[in-house]
Amino acid sequence: PVPHDAYVRLRDEFTARLRAALPVHGVLLTLHGAMATDAEDDVEGDLLRAVRDIVGRDVPLVVSMDLHAAVSASSAALVDGIVGFKTCPHTDYEETGQRSAALLLNAVRAVSSPAVVVHPVPMITPAEAHDTDIGALAPHMNRAQVLADGHQILDVSIFAAQPWLDAARTRWTVAVTYDRTQEEGETAAVQIAGHLAGALEADRESFRVTKTPVDAVWTSILGLSDRPVLVADSGDSPSAGADGNSLDCLSRLIGDGLPSVLATLTDPALARRASLSPTGGEIDGAPLSPAVTVIASSTGHFARMYPAGPVDVGLCAVVRVANATVVVTERPAFMVDTSLFDHVGLDPSDFDVVQVKSAGGFRALWAPISNAIVVVDSLGGSTSRLSDLSFHKVVRPMWPFDKRESVQSGEFT
């Protein structure tokens, strides 16, 4: 959780700027949707209340949210429109911005009068089950987009909640934004939201994931002919909130005489030691190994392709141990693209195996390099073993923690 005082400073700075901008015709907020502090489980709801207190109820307020948002009923009640990502891996950043901006502008110009209906789906699923290109979610998301006609129904979004958020709002949600000026608009929105929610819950068993045990990683790698083989260290994904410092998967990839491996690791102490050592020198490699050889060092400033923007992962160095070349960073680095490897001058295609600390978001931009993927059931902050985690605030019953009779999705045309 974010320290609450830090969030309050951000909120108060934002609301001060909003007050200074008054009067406004509309407000568009680009939110993630799964932020929590150590004192507030529903940060988005709190921020939206603060915005409403400033602009009033009559000013159109639209939000865009990540597909992994945990949308609370209070947040939905405060906004006129919700637009979510339709892709995972998220490749529709620009399109989501365009859709949400168009929705707001039409409301400001009185072309439409948007309103929101949300329907909860009592399930939490591993992030690997959220792919919209393949797997269980794809047909549901495709169906949702067919139902958004841009006239009566302005947007249909399915939110597969970030599965490591322990909050009362944590569960899948269907959000339908409709036009209040259209006859039967609300009725249609309620029907669509209920239909999609019921279909998702009825299909819940399809959202289970099967991964390769860490002890069997080399058996799986050697069974694939394409190179490089991408090893998804899914339990330790920085883009999912993990620290990137787990050795559960990486330690099993390292060994003399094994095929070449390219990997990453977050370890501030090792990054500092390697950055201060001459190239070619051997240094204390803890916790990676008793000793490693320094190959290169660099600043951690570079431009990330996805999501696009500048990043700083702190001190950064490349070390080698046995068959592995490891990029060690001071702070966690997203691995949903190859930007970090590009930054230090390493080409993943030069290696037999590339360990990618990501639960699945890497697939969009790594596909040109390889489609040979082994997803490992590794330990870490983004583990998919949800039933083993200590959830205290999630509203029960909730799949997969509790048995529950499936809801009938019913007929819908």
Side-chain angles (χ1 to χ4, degrees):
V2 175
H4 190 69
D5 289 348
Y7 160 66
V8 169
R9 288 175 60 189
L10 292 169
R11 181 197 63 196
D12 291 351
E13 179 182 344
F14 175 82
T15 53
R17 294 186 181 191
L18 179 58
R19 286 191 185 92
L22 294 177
V24 296
H25 295 96
V27 177
L28 172 61
L29 298 182
T30 302
L31 305 177
H32 180 274
M35 184 178 181
T37 77
D38 48 22
E40 174 59 69
D41 288 341
D42 187 6
V43 164
E44 290 80 15
D46 181 76
L47 178 63
L48 289 167
R49 280 190 293 274
V51 170
R52 273 293 180 214
D53 287 344
I54 294 169
V55 303
R57 185 67 246 190
D58 294 333
V59 171
L61 172 56
V62 172
V63 295
S64 66
M65 288 187 172
D66 191 284
L67 182 142
H68 294 105
V71 183
S72 67
S74 59
S75 290
L78 288 162
V79 301
D80 298 292
I82 299 177
V83 178
F85 290 173
K86 306 300 188 281
T87 63
C88 184
H90 309 316
T91 56
D92 61 336
Y93 283 97
E94 291 185 8
E95 292 84 352
T96 302
Q98 291 164 357
R99 285 194 295 265
S100 54
L103 183 65
L104 177 68
L105 290 172
N106 284 337
V108 169
R109 295 165 179 161
V111 174
S112 62
S113 179
V116 177
V117 167
V118 293
H119 200 298
V121 186
M123 66 183 197
I124 306 173
T125 60
E128 292 84 353
H130 300 170
D131 197 306
T132 57
D133 295 321
I134 57 173
L137 179 55
H140 297 282
M141 186 65 80
N142 291 339
R143 177 61 171 153
Q145 301 328 299
V146 170
L147 297 173
D149 60 15
H151 180 61
Q152 186 182 59
I153 303 301
L154 304 176
D155 184 84
V156 181
S157 295
I158 297 173
F159 295 101
Q162 203 265 36
W164 306 284
L165 175 65
D166 186 16
R169 61 185 173 126
T170 302
R171 73 280 188 273
W172 282 49
T173 303
V174 177
V176 179
T177 300
Y178 65 96
D179 187 353
R180 279 177 289 212
T181 66
Q182 299 297 314
E183 186 176 358
E184 302 297 324
E186 182 176 8
T187 300
V190 170
Q191 186 181 17
I192 289 171
H195 161 72
L196 290 174
L200 285 164
E201 189 175 0
D203 197 27
R204 64 193 179 185
E205 289 294 335
S206 299
F207 290 92
R208 293 189 185 275
V209 297
T210 301
K211 299 182 182 182
T212 299
V214 288
D215 291 336
V217 62
W218 275 112
T219 301
S220 296
I221 291 171
L222 297 175
L224 297 172
S225 57
D226 292 343
R227 289 293 184 271
V229 175
L230 306 180
V231 174
D233 186 0
S234 63
D236 192 33
S237 171
S239 56
D243 293 323
N245 60 0
S246 172
L247 291 168
D248 188 43
C249 176
L250 179 56
S251 63
R252 290 164 170 81
L253 296 175
I254 298 175
D256 291 324
L258 293 172
S260 62
V261 170
L262 177 62
T264 62
L265 180 69
T266 305
D267 191 275
L270 180 54
R272 286 192 291 269
R273 289 198 302 274
S275 296
L276 295 173
S277 301
T279 300
E282 191 173 273
I283 64 169
D284 173 10
L288 188 61
S289 172
V292 297
T293 301
V294 179
I295 304 301
S297 61
S298 172
T299 68
H301 298 270
F302 59 93
R304 185 173 58 202
M305 292 184 290
Y306 176 73
V311 295
D312 181 7
V313 295
L315 294 174
C316 180
V318 182
V319 302
R320 183 168 297 145
V321 52
N323 63 321
T325 299
V326 184
V327 182
V328 184
T329 58
E330 192 174 16
R331 292 190 284 274
F334 283 19
M335 294 307 301
V336 290
D337 62 33
T338 63
S339 296
L340 177 61
F341 292 140
D342 298 339
H343 173 62
V344 296
L346 294 171
D347 185 347
S349 62
D350 291 338
F351 295 81
D352 295 307
V353 178
V354 182
Q355 168 247 342
V356 184
K357 285 186 177 289
S358 174
F362 68 97
R363 291 177 183 268
L365 295 188
W366 281 83
I369 296 170
S370 179
N371 284 313
I373 301 173
V374 176
V375 181
V376 181
D377 185 19
S378 54
L379 298 177
S382 58
T383 177
S384 62
R385 303 179 193 179
L386 302 182
S387 296
D388 293 343
L389 300 180
S390 299
F391 288 96
H392 300 287
K393 302 175 183 177
V394 169
V395 177
R396 309 292 283 268
M398 182 72 67
W399 189 86
F401 312 116
D402 308 291
K403 291 184 178 180
R404 177 184 168 100
E405 294 300 319
S406 293
V407 178
Q408 295 299 316
S409 59
E411 296 290 329
F412 186 83
T413 58

